[in-house]
Amino acid sequence: RLFGKKEFLFNKSLNTEKFSMIPMHNKADVKSWLNRAKDDFRYAQSGIEGGFYPQSCFISQQVAEKALKALIYSKESKFEAQELKKLRTHKLLLLLKKIESEGIKIPESIKSSSKILNRYYLPTRYPDIPDPVKNYTEEIAKDALEKAEKVIDFVETQLKK
């Protein structure tokens, strides 16, 4: 057996047994994605204030990811299963490709910001992943947050069109 009785009951109470991502396809859901991105933005700001620079860089990546997903969901009312599976990525550049496939021009500043934010997804959380930054500073964390804010601004502009 994989789990003892206690572990099974614990996992069942957390509803982790059969996790699946529920497709979101209406304007309220798009708002939910964007609001979560904005909440994460404020969370990253407080992380910087507390000196949690690597964590703030990771959350900044998450801000951009959630904002981009809000934009993608706003453009299509229904996704095929295969297409939905592709959206379960944390790779910002893949999300940008999907947005471009919808006919939206991505400014170079958003592409370059996303490329940098992508670097913060794994090494900021796992000590056994090679990290090109090694020493996260307040300046680096603030730069990551600024890049995430650019992505949010871009998405909000697109959503108004």
Side-chain angles (χ1 to χ4, degrees):
R1 263 174 41 175
L2 197 56
F3 295 109
K5 188 174 182 179
K6 262 187 182 173
E7 289 84 3
F8 176 77
L9 291 174
F10 176 72
N11 286 337
K12 195 168 180 82
S13 72
L14 291 177
N15 199 20
T16 57
E17 199 175 342
K18 292 182 179 177
F19 173 77
S20 66
M21 191 165 102
I22 299 167
M24 297 184 175
H25 305 300
N26 65 47
K27 295 294 180 192
D29 296 325
V30 169
K31 271 185 141 178
S32 294
W33 276 97
L34 193 57
N35 286 340
R36 187 63 58 96
K38 289 177 178 182
D39 287 347
D40 285 354
F41 182 87
R42 287 188 295 277
Y43 181 52
Q45 283 178 315
S46 66
I48 292 171
E49 291 166 12
F52 298 101
Y53 306 134
Q55 295 83 355
S56 293
C57 288
F58 166 69
I59 295 299
S60 294
Q61 185 278 342
Q62 290 287 283
V63 167
E65 179 183 327
K66 290 170 186 172
L68 293 174
K69 286 181 179 180
L71 182 55
I72 291 168
Y73 282 122
S74 76
K75 297 301 173 191
E76 293 192 34
S77 61
K78 188 177 179 183
F79 288 93
E80 297 298 321
Q82 271 307 95
E83 201 60 28
L84 188 60
K85 197 173 185 180
K86 288 179 190 174
L87 294 179
R88 292 184 184 169
T89 184
H90 302 289
K91 296 176 182 173
L92 302 179
L93 299 179
L94 289 178
L95 295 173
L96 289 176
K97 280 184 183 180
K98 173 66 179 157
I99 292 167
E100 282 182 317
S101 77
E102 297 293 325
I104 297 171
K105 176 135 177 59
I106 309 290
E108 202 52 49
S109 63
I110 298 302
K111 289 179 183 179
S112 62
S113 291
S114 296
K115 190 173 182 180
I116 290 168
L117 290 171
N118 255 351
R119 298 178 193 161
Y120 301 138
Y121 182 70
L122 286 173
T124 54
R125 297 180 301 142
Y126 302 107
D128 58 341
I129 303 285
D131 189 348
V133 177
K134 295 192 186 4
N135 185 28
Y136 290 86
T137 63
E138 183 176 4
E139 182 182 351
I140 291 169
K142 283 183 175 179
D143 180 66
L145 198 58
E146 285 173 20
K147 288 174 177 20
E149 188 171 32
K150 281 183 191 175
V151 174
I152 287 178
D153 291 345
F154 166 73
V155 167
E156 287 183 317
T157 299
Q158 294 302 313
L159 290 173
K160 289 177 185 171
K161 291 183 178 183

